Amino acid sequence: MKFSLVIPVYNEEKIIPLLISESLRGLSTFTDDFEIICVDDGSKDRTLELLLEQRKKDTRIKVVALSRNFGHQAAYTAGLSFAKGDIIGMMDGDLQDPPELLHAMYQKVHSDTYDVVFGLRKERNEAPVKKVLIKSFHQLFTRLSNIRAPANVGNFSVMNRAALEAFLQLQEKNRYLPGLRFFIGFRQGFVEYDRPDRSIGEAKMNLSKLTRLALDAIFSFSKLPLRLCLIVGILGLLFTVGGTILVLSFKLIGRAILGWSSVLISMYFLGSVQLVFLGVIGEYVHRIYVETQNRPVFIVRKYYDS
Ligand code: UDP
Ligand code: MG
């Protein structure tokens, strides 16, 4: 049974040789029949060059070069679309997903116990702020989505061909892959692990990149007015709550209350609520807009295959 391992990489020149040797070592413990599909997500450093160097030594390493940086989730999607294996794995390119775990994951799919097996992070070693933000996101996602996904799950996973085909049928442009992977159903199991911090190179999805990405998105797709509605609305709401507390406490200690205060506060309150709602609706409208544009999730410049 052929195994395809998909690894997205963006500006990872420091780690490429180690990444490949560790991946080969991890894979060799359970199969010789594999391909490693590295997706170069428009790196600006020597990532692609180093990948092609590795490919010269072992042609089981294939390289998908995207035409520019499309982002982590798009890069995974690109790699998956080229995978020819009967069993397919997804692993980050910074060795935060330990390749030695692939064996246990592969085994559970190969033995037909599960169709999808994902890595469940017991402990996460990241910068404290990032850790808190990620945790809050996961909790919120689990609460808000109707997908009963456990928190602390990322892209690290192994699945069979049937699950992959179902996964690839999901064509939406805003792709949160761990969510989509739960959406497809099938028999899903997990392998627990402690997620180590990055040992080489910096996170490409750090806070400043996310902020810059957010700004890029605003200016190139002009969603700024919608976001502003939401932010101004929330600020207005906070201001109103503060004002109300202030006015009430003045009243309690018997200080003069001007009659127009309450009118002003309720006016602000309603105005803010309306702006918040408008912002939220805007978020959905924007997503509909992106879907109807129907731009591809990724564009391949070249596929280095044998
Ligand atoms: N990555 C990518 N495109 C990007 C950003 C990141 O292909 O635009 C890759 C990156 O090289 C790494 C993986 O996605 O292999 C995870 O990225 P990172 O470690 O920065 O994310 P985190 O671990 O912080 O979620
Ligand atoms: Mg990482």
Side-chain angles (χ1 to χ4, degrees), residues 78-95:
L80 290 172
S81 71
F82 283 97
K84 297 206 177 67
D86 309 292
I87 299 181
I88 302 93
M90 297 165 69
M91 187 182 89
D92 274 359
D94 54 1
L95 294 176

Side-chain angles (χ1 to χ4, degrees), residues 86-90 104-120 150 153-167 177-191:
D86 309 292
I87 299 181
I88 302 93
M90 297 165 69
M105 294 164 98
Y106 176 89
Q107 216 50 52
K108 285 177 192 261
V109 176
H110 186 252
S111 61
D112 204 28
T113 317
Y114 292 107
D115 301 297
V116 179
V117 174
F118 51 84
L120 188 70
V153 170
N155 291 300
F156 192 30
S157 56
V158 168
M159 64 182 101
N160 61 21
R161 177 51 58 185
L164 178 68
E165 294 296 336
F167 195 56
L177 299 184
L180 294 182
R181 201 181 52 221
F182 280 104
F183 172 84
I184 61 169
F186 289 86
R187 296 165 301 165
Q188 304 215 1
F190 60 86
V191 168

Side-chain angles (χ1 to χ4, degrees), residues 13-25:
E13 61 179 6
K14 286 187 198 150
I15 207 170
I16 295 294
L18 182 67
L19 169 68
I20 299 297
S21 64
E22 288 293 301
S23 305
L24 289 172
R25 202 157 62 93

Side-chain angles (χ1 to χ4, degrees), residues 114-131:
Y114 292 107
D115 301 297
V116 179
V117 174
F118 51 84
L120 188 70
R121 299 153 183 180
K122 275 193 292 182
E123 195 46 62
R124 193 191 265 276
N125 299 306
E126 309 258 16
V129 178
K130 189 169 176 179
K131 205 163 146 175

Side-chain angles (χ1 to χ4, degrees), residues 8-10 12 41 69 71-72 75 92-94 96 130 195 198 203-205 209:
V9 277
Y10 176 57
E12 302 284 8
D41 189 14
N69 179 245
H72 188 199
D92 274 359
D94 54 1
Q96 280 192 287
K130 189 169 176 179
R195 186 166 163 91
R198 217 182 228 269
K204 304 299 170 313
M205 308 297 289
K209 181 168 174 182

Side-chain angles (χ1 to χ4, degrees), residues 85-272:
D86 309 292
I87 299 181
I88 302 93
M90 297 165 69
M91 187 182 89
D92 274 359
D94 54 1
L95 294 176
Q96 280 192 287
D97 298 338
E100 58 271 18
L101 225 74
L102 287 170
H103 188 181
M105 294 164 98
Y106 176 89
Q107 216 50 52
K108 285 177 192 261
V109 176
H110 186 252
S111 61
D112 204 28
T113 317
Y114 292 107
D115 301 297
V116 179
V117 174
F118 51 84
L120 188 70
R121 299 153 183 180
K122 275 193 292 182
E123 195 46 62
R124 193 191 265 276
N125 299 306
E126 309 258 16
V129 178
K130 189 169 176 179
K131 205 163 146 175
V132 168
L133 288 177
I134 292 176
K135 198 168 171 206
S136 319
F137 163 73
H138 277 297
Q139 283 175 345
L140 204 67
F141 182 76
T142 324
R143 290 236 170 87
L144 294 187
S145 71
N146 49 11
I147 293 170
R148 291 284 141 251
N152 264 334
V153 170
N155 291 300
F156 192 30
S157 56
V158 168
M159 64 182 101
N160 61 21
R161 177 51 58 185
L164 178 68
E165 294 296 336
F167 195 56
L168 289 176
Q169 270 178 26
L170 307 174
Q171 292 287 330
E172 55 246 73
K173 312 296 170 194
N174 285 296
R175 304 179 73 77
Y176 175 57
L177 299 184
L180 294 182
R181 201 181 52 221
F182 280 104
F183 172 84
I184 61 169
F186 289 86
R187 296 165 301 165
Q188 304 215 1
F190 60 86
V191 168
E192 280 188 311
Y193 73 112
D194 288 325
R195 186 166 163 91
D197 202 355
R198 217 182 228 269
S199 53
I200 303 180
E202 315 75 42
K204 304 299 170 313
M205 308 297 289
N206 57 18
L207 287 178
S208 74
K209 181 168 174 182
L210 282 176
T211 316
R212 252 183 295 139
L213 206 67
L215 285 175
D216 281 350
I218 286 163
F219 291 118
S220 54
F221 293 95
S222 191
K223 199 182 153 194
L224 180 65
L226 297 171
R227 269 279 148 75
L228 276 183
C229 283
L230 193 61
I231 294 166
V232 171
I234 290 169
L235 288 180
L237 212 59
L238 291 177
F239 179 75
T240 315
V241 171
T244 311
I245 293 170
L246 205 70
V247 169
L248 282 179
S249 31
F250 266 104
K251 197 176 174 72
L252 281 178
I253 57 171
R255 296 277 290 272
I257 296 281
L258 298 175
W260 44 263
S261 313
S262 51
V263 177
L264 212 62
I265 285 169
S266 35
M267 208 180 76
Y268 268 121
F269 180 75
L270 281 178
S272 309

